[in-house]
Amino acid sequence: MLCLDDFYKDGDDPTLPRENGVVDWESPRSWDAAAAVATITHLAREGRADVPVYAIGEDRRVTTRPFEVADSPLFVAEGIFAAEIVEECRRRGVLAGAYALRRPRGATFVRRLARDLAEQRKAPGLLVRRGLTLLRAEPAVLRRQTGLGAEAARAGEVLRGVAGLLAGHPHRS
């Protein structure tokens, strides 16, 4: 599984979108789509690539790590901005399928908050406020993702779709 959240821009990048002087990390412009597409393309064609490791608490990439798909005909690239690159990956011939998960909003809020608190990503008060904002925005996010070419699906539907794709495809995300 390739974590596309590792392709966020560093916190001091002058191209980051800002609102009232604060970085808008929920904007697709806070993310390096070109680097994500280049890495996915390289993985699909070569089966391996060095990928960034992003420390959310530090707002920056801290290192890289090797990523290999070995003998698998498919790999999963996941992240909140994945739909932003659906068309470019499709154009390059490295997209087997694109899904936007439909989950119960309350469960997503609890899961996200528990993860972010456990990883000490930011101050607890900020994480709760951010989580509530994302909870309210989730229907609009799903509409945007499907508008960009991802198929809205529940987790079980995604698993069945991926299982169906495993029959003989070259490396694709």
Side-chain angles (χ1 to χ4, degrees):
M1 175 130 12
L2 177 64
C3 179
L4 295 176
D5 288 353
D6 284 327
F7 290 88
Y8 269 105
K9 295 176 182 177
D10 287 350
D12 59 358
D13 187 313
T15 66
L16 282 169
R18 296 183 182 275
E19 188 172 307
N20 298 323
V22 177
V23 174
D24 180 4
W25 294 108
E26 306 310 319
S27 168
R29 294 182 3 243
S30 67
W31 184 70
D32 191 347
V37 169
T39 299
I40 287 169
T41 302
H42 190 81
L43 277 169
R45 296 213 162 70
E46 303 297 326
R48 70 176 58 129
D50 286 331
V51 299
V53 175
Y54 196 91
I56 291 176
E58 296 181 41
D59 294 335
R60 66 183 184 92
R61 295 175 188 181
V62 293
T63 191
T64 60
R65 67 179 176 86
F67 185 92
E68 291 191 36
V69 294
D71 296 328
S72 177
L74 297 173
F75 64 96
V76 174
E78 63 82 25
I80 188 64
F81 300 131
E84 301 292 323
I85 59 174
V86 165
E87 284 306 315
E88 182 59 20
C89 287
R90 185 174 286 131
R91 188 186 72 71
R92 291 179 181 216
V94 295
L95 181 71
Y99 302 96
L101 286 179
R102 280 188 325 212
R103 294 181 177 156
R105 290 170 52 200
T108 299
F109 169 79
V110 169
R111 186 178 305 115
R112 180 184 293 125
L113 183 61
R115 177 203 65 200
D116 291 351
L117 288 170
E119 294 177 7
Q120 299 178 343
R121 290 182 167 196
K122 301 285 181 183
L126 177 65
L127 293 174
V128 170
R129 285 190 304 279
R130 176 182 175 270
L132 290 171
T133 298
L134 294 174
L135 175 73
R136 288 187 293 274
E138 196 164 316
V141 169
L142 184 60
R143 282 192 303 276
R144 177 172 170 73
Q145 291 171 335
T146 57
L148 290 169
E151 177 184 339
R154 299 201 183 283
E157 295 168 327
V158 172
L159 291 175
R160 286 190 293 279
V162 169
L165 291 170
L166 282 172
H169 282 282
H171 294 300
R172 293 179 187 235
S173 63

